[in-house]
Amino acid sequence: MYPTRHLTLPTLKQRTGRAVALAVLTAAALTGTGAADALALPATPPAAGSTATADSSATVTGGTTADADALREGAAAPAAATLRDRIAAAARGQIGVVESSSACQKYLTGKGQTCRNTSWCAAFAEWTWRHAGVKSVPTTLLGRGVGKWGQEHHLFHTGSPKPGDLVVYGPPAYEQGGHVGVVVSVNRDGTLDTVEGNVSNKVAHRHIDPRTAKGGVKKWKISGYVTPPGA
Protein backbone atom coordinates (compact mmCIF):
# COMPACT_ATOMS: atom_id res chain seq x y z
CA MET A 1 0.00 0.00 0.00
CA TYR A 2 1.09 3.58 -0.62
CA PRO A 3 1.57 5.70 2.51
CA THR A 4 -0.62 8.79 2.68
CA ARG A 5 2.13 11.21 1.74
CA HIS A 6 2.69 9.40 -1.57
CA LEU A 7 -0.99 9.18 -2.61
CA THR A 8 -2.00 12.56 -3.98
CA LEU A 9 -5.39 14.17 -4.17
CA PRO A 10 -5.53 13.88 -8.01
CA THR A 11 -5.00 10.11 -7.77
CA LEU A 12 -7.69 9.68 -5.13
CA LYS A 13 -10.07 11.92 -7.07
CA GLN A 14 -9.53 9.76 -10.17
CA ARG A 15 -10.45 6.64 -8.20
CA THR A 16 -13.21 7.78 -5.93
CA GLY A 17 -14.43 11.29 -6.71
CA ARG A 18 -13.40 14.53 -5.05
CA ALA A 19 -15.64 14.43 -1.97
CA VAL A 20 -14.60 10.89 -0.96
CA ALA A 21 -10.93 11.61 -1.68
CA LEU A 22 -10.95 14.64 0.62
CA ALA A 23 -12.59 12.67 3.41
CA VAL A 24 -10.11 9.80 3.05
CA LEU A 25 -7.08 12.07 3.06
CA THR A 26 -8.34 13.88 6.15
CA ALA A 27 -9.02 10.62 8.00
CA ALA A 28 -5.63 9.23 7.01
CA ALA A 29 -3.84 12.34 8.25
CA LEU A 30 -5.60 12.18 11.62
CA THR A 31 -5.12 8.46 12.22
CA GLY A 32 -1.73 7.90 10.63
CA THR A 33 -3.02 5.17 8.32
CA GLY A 34 -2.23 5.04 4.64
CA ALA A 35 -4.82 6.46 2.30
CA ALA A 36 -4.88 3.26 0.28
CA ASP A 37 -5.54 1.29 3.50
CA ALA A 38 -8.33 3.69 4.42
CA LEU A 39 -9.85 3.19 1.00
CA ALA A 40 -9.44 -0.59 1.27
CA LEU A 41 -8.32 -0.56 -2.36
CA PRO A 42 -5.26 -2.21 -3.91
CA ALA A 43 -2.65 0.31 -4.95
CA THR A 44 -3.13 -0.30 -8.65
CA PRO A 45 -1.84 2.06 -11.33
CA PRO A 46 -4.20 4.67 -12.76
CA ALA A 47 -6.39 3.61 -15.64
CA ALA A 48 -4.94 3.89 -19.13
CA GLY A 49 -5.06 7.45 -20.41
CA SER A 50 -5.22 8.95 -16.92
CA THR A 51 -2.83 11.80 -16.09
CA ALA A 52 -2.97 11.17 -12.33
CA THR A 53 0.38 10.25 -10.75
CA ALA A 54 1.69 9.41 -7.30
CA ASP A 55 3.93 12.38 -6.51
CA SER A 56 6.37 11.37 -3.78
CA SER A 57 6.85 15.00 -2.80
CA ALA A 58 3.15 15.67 -2.25
CA THR A 59 1.66 16.02 1.23
CA VAL A 60 -1.82 15.40 2.56
CA THR A 61 -2.69 19.02 1.76
CA GLY A 62 -1.27 18.80 -1.75
CA GLY A 63 -3.26 19.94 -4.77
CA THR A 64 -4.89 23.28 -5.43
CA THR A 65 -5.50 26.00 -2.87
CA ALA A 66 -9.22 25.27 -3.15
CA ASP A 67 -8.56 21.62 -2.33
CA ALA A 68 -6.51 22.60 0.71
CA ASP A 69 -9.24 24.95 1.89
CA ALA A 70 -11.81 22.20 1.45
CA LEU A 71 -9.69 19.85 3.54
CA ARG A 72 -9.49 22.38 6.35
CA GLU A 73 -13.21 23.16 6.27
CA GLY A 74 -14.39 19.61 5.60
CA ALA A 75 -16.50 20.71 2.61
CA ALA A 76 -16.72 23.70 0.34
CA ALA A 77 -19.83 25.69 1.31
CA PRO A 78 -21.78 27.32 -1.55
CA ALA A 79 -21.42 31.09 -1.76
CA ALA A 80 -24.32 32.99 -0.21
CA ALA A 81 -26.68 34.66 -2.64
CA THR A 82 -26.04 38.35 -3.06
CA LEU A 83 -28.59 40.93 -1.98
CA ARG A 84 -29.50 41.54 -5.62
CA ASP A 85 -30.02 37.80 -6.16
CA ARG A 86 -32.32 37.65 -3.16
CA ILE A 87 -34.38 40.60 -4.38
CA ALA A 88 -34.82 39.07 -7.83
CA ALA A 89 -35.76 35.70 -6.32
CA ALA A 90 -38.28 37.31 -3.96
CA ALA A 91 -39.92 39.17 -6.84
CA ARG A 92 -40.05 36.14 -9.14
CA GLY A 93 -41.62 34.10 -6.36
CA GLN A 94 -44.67 36.41 -6.34
CA ILE A 95 -45.51 36.22 -10.05
CA GLY A 96 -49.19 35.41 -10.46
CA VAL A 97 -50.42 36.77 -7.12
CA VAL A 98 -53.71 38.55 -7.83
CA GLU A 99 -55.09 41.53 -5.96
CA SER A 100 -58.28 39.69 -5.06
CA SER A 101 -56.32 37.10 -3.05
CA SER A 102 -55.29 37.28 0.57
CA ALA A 103 -51.66 36.85 -0.53
CA CYS A 104 -51.71 40.33 -2.05
CA GLN A 105 -52.60 41.94 1.26
CA LYS A 106 -49.18 41.20 2.78
CA TYR A 107 -47.66 43.93 0.59
CA LEU A 108 -49.80 46.49 2.43
CA THR A 109 -49.30 45.30 5.98
CA GLY A 110 -49.52 48.23 8.38
CA LYS A 111 -50.65 50.70 5.73
CA GLY A 112 -54.38 50.59 6.42
CA GLN A 113 -55.17 49.83 2.78
CA THR A 114 -56.22 46.85 0.69
CA CYS A 115 -55.10 45.80 -2.76
CA ARG A 116 -58.59 46.52 -4.05
CA ASN A 117 -58.81 50.12 -2.90
CA THR A 118 -55.32 51.44 -3.64
CA SER A 119 -52.57 51.24 -6.21
CA TRP A 120 -50.08 48.77 -4.76
CA CYS A 121 -47.12 48.63 -7.19
CA ALA A 122 -44.92 50.62 -4.79
CA ALA A 123 -46.03 48.48 -1.84
CA PHE A 124 -45.02 45.38 -3.78
CA ALA A 125 -41.60 46.87 -4.57
CA GLU A 126 -41.13 47.78 -0.90
CA TRP A 127 -42.14 44.28 0.22
CA THR A 128 -39.67 42.69 -2.21
CA TRP A 129 -36.76 44.71 -0.81
CA ARG A 130 -37.79 44.05 2.80
CA HIS A 131 -38.22 40.33 2.14
CA ALA A 132 -34.71 40.17 0.67
CA GLY A 133 -33.20 41.91 3.71
CA VAL A 134 -32.82 45.52 2.56
CA LYS A 135 -32.76 47.67 5.71
CA SER A 136 -33.77 51.07 4.35
CA VAL A 137 -36.75 51.01 1.98
CA PRO A 138 -39.17 53.55 0.49
CA THR A 139 -42.52 53.49 2.29
CA THR A 140 -44.54 55.61 -0.12
CA LEU A 141 -47.48 54.14 -2.02
CA LEU A 142 -46.62 56.31 -5.04
CA GLY A 143 -44.64 54.78 -7.89
CA ARG A 144 -43.07 58.10 -8.78
CA GLY A 145 -42.52 58.67 -5.07
CA VAL A 146 -40.11 55.72 -5.06
CA GLY A 147 -37.99 57.64 -7.56
CA LYS A 148 -38.12 60.75 -5.39
CA TRP A 149 -37.09 58.70 -2.35
CA GLY A 150 -34.19 57.39 -4.40
CA GLN A 151 -33.10 60.93 -5.23
CA GLU A 152 -33.29 61.96 -1.59
CA HIS A 153 -31.08 59.04 -0.62
CA HIS A 154 -28.67 59.46 -3.57
CA LEU A 155 -29.70 56.09 -4.99
CA PHE A 156 -31.51 57.21 -8.15
CA HIS A 157 -29.75 56.81 -11.50
CA THR A 158 -30.89 57.05 -15.10
CA GLY A 159 -28.90 54.23 -16.73
CA SER A 160 -27.09 50.91 -16.30
CA PRO A 161 -29.80 49.05 -14.35
CA LYS A 162 -28.93 45.88 -12.44
CA PRO A 163 -31.05 43.06 -11.02
CA GLY A 164 -32.57 44.17 -7.74
CA ASP A 165 -32.95 47.80 -8.81
CA LEU A 166 -36.40 49.35 -8.80
CA VAL A 167 -37.48 50.68 -12.19
CA VAL A 168 -39.45 53.94 -12.00
CA TYR A 169 -41.99 55.03 -14.62
CA GLY A 170 -42.58 58.77 -14.57
CA PRO A 171 -40.48 61.69 -13.26
CA PRO A 172 -39.56 61.34 -9.58
CA ALA A 173 -42.13 63.19 -7.47
CA TYR A 174 -44.55 62.51 -4.65
CA GLU A 175 -47.40 62.56 -7.14
CA GLN A 176 -49.78 60.00 -8.57
CA GLY A 177 -49.90 58.53 -12.04
CA GLY A 178 -46.60 56.68 -12.18
CA HIS A 179 -45.54 53.11 -11.67
CA VAL A 180 -42.64 51.06 -10.27
CA GLY A 181 -41.35 47.50 -10.64
CA VAL A 182 -38.37 45.30 -9.83
CA VAL A 183 -35.59 44.53 -12.31
CA VAL A 184 -34.86 40.79 -12.22
CA SER A 185 -32.69 40.38 -15.31
CA VAL A 186 -30.59 42.57 -17.61
CA ASN A 187 -30.18 40.99 -21.03
CA ARG A 188 -27.36 41.26 -23.56
CA ASP A 189 -29.59 42.96 -26.12
CA GLY A 190 -30.37 45.78 -23.68
CA THR A 191 -33.83 44.54 -22.77
CA LEU A 192 -34.93 43.97 -19.19
CA ASP A 193 -37.03 41.41 -17.40
CA THR A 194 -39.04 42.95 -14.59
CA VAL A 195 -41.60 41.81 -12.04
CA GLU A 196 -44.22 44.46 -11.30
CA GLY A 197 -47.16 44.64 -8.94
CA ASN A 198 -50.60 45.92 -9.89
CA VAL A 199 -50.24 45.10 -13.60
CA SER A 200 -53.69 44.00 -14.79
CA ASN A 201 -54.54 43.52 -11.10
CA LYS A 202 -51.76 41.03 -10.39
CA VAL A 203 -48.01 40.57 -9.98
CA ALA A 204 -46.72 40.12 -13.51
CA HIS A 205 -43.51 39.37 -15.35
CA ARG A 206 -42.66 41.82 -18.13
CA HIS A 207 -39.97 41.67 -20.82
CA ILE A 208 -39.34 45.28 -21.82
CA ASP A 209 -37.19 47.59 -23.89
CA PRO A 210 -36.30 50.32 -21.36
CA ARG A 211 -36.18 52.91 -24.16
CA THR A 212 -39.84 52.49 -25.04
CA ALA A 213 -41.58 50.74 -22.12
CA LYS A 214 -44.39 52.59 -20.39
CA GLY A 215 -46.27 52.16 -17.13
CA GLY A 216 -48.87 53.71 -14.90
CA VAL A 217 -52.22 55.26 -15.71
CA LYS A 218 -50.51 58.10 -17.56
CA LYS A 219 -48.30 55.69 -19.52
CA TRP A 220 -45.08 57.27 -18.39
CA LYS A 221 -41.75 56.16 -19.83
CA ILE A 222 -38.96 55.00 -17.53
CA SER A 223 -37.22 57.90 -15.80
CA GLY A 224 -34.59 55.84 -13.98
CA TYR A 225 -33.76 53.24 -11.37
CA VAL A 226 -33.23 53.05 -7.63
CA THR A 227 -30.32 51.03 -6.27
CA PRO A 228 -30.97 48.97 -3.11
CA PRO A 229 -28.89 50.28 -0.20
CA GLY A 230 -26.06 47.90 0.55
CA ALA A 231 -25.99 46.28 -2.88
Side-chain angles (χ1 to χ4, degrees):
M1 303 296 180
Y2 290 119
T4 303
R5 64 178 176 273
H6 293 301
L7 196 55
T8 62
L9 184 58
T11 301
L12 287 172
K13 286 166 68 176
Q14 187 272 333
R15 295 184 186 178
T16 65
R18 184 174 185 275
V20 173
L22 291 173
V24 169
L25 285 174
T26 303
L30 293 173
T31 62
T33 61
D37 291 326
L39 279 169
L41 294 174
T44 54
S50 171
T51 59
T53 59
D55 183 356
S56 61
S57 64
T59 66
V60 70
T61 57
T64 66
T65 301
D67 290 331
D69 290 342
L71 278 171
R72 287 193 293 270
E73 300 299 327
T82 68
L83 178 60
R84 291 186 180 278
D85 292 334
R86 296 198 301 271
I87 293 169
R92 288 185 186 277
Q94 300 301 299
I95 293 173
V97 171
V98 296
E99 71 174 31
S100 59
S101 72
S102 58
C104 180
Q105 194 55 39
K106 65 188 172 187
Y107 311 137
L108 290 159
T109 299
K111 297 184 182 298
Q113 303 284 346
T114 69
C115 290
R116 291 186 177 185
N117 68 13
T118 190
S119 296
W120 49 276
C121 60
F124 169 73
E126 176 191 340
W127 179 91
T128 302
W129 271 15
R130 284 189 188 278
H131 192 73
V134 179
K135 303 303 182 183
S136 178
V137 301
T139 57
T140 176
L141 288 175
L142 300 171
R144 293 172 62 190
V146 173
K148 187 63 176 177
W149 179 92
Q151 287 183 332
E152 293 169 349
H153 290 78
H154 308 291
L155 298 168
F156 184 84
H157 54 101
T158 58
S160 302
K162 296 180 180 180
D165 285 353
L166 301 184
V167 52
V168 179
Y169 298 83
Y174 289 116
E175 297 180 15
Q176 296 180 344
H179 184 61
V180 64
V182 182
V183 178
V184 297
S185 178
V186 179
N187 307 308
R188 291 184 178 181
D189 62 0
T191 60
L192 304 176
D193 285 283
T194 65
V195 177
E196 303 175 9
N198 201 27
V199 174
S200 298
N201 301 325
K202 64 183 179 181
V203 178
H205 166 263
R206 296 182 69 192
H207 180 75
I208 64 172
D209 182 336
R211 298 168 299 181
T212 58
K214 297 178 180 180
V217 295
K218 292 188 176 181
K219 304 299 181 184
W220 287 106
K221 286 188 175 183
I222 293 171
S223 62
Y225 310 87
V226 182
T227 297

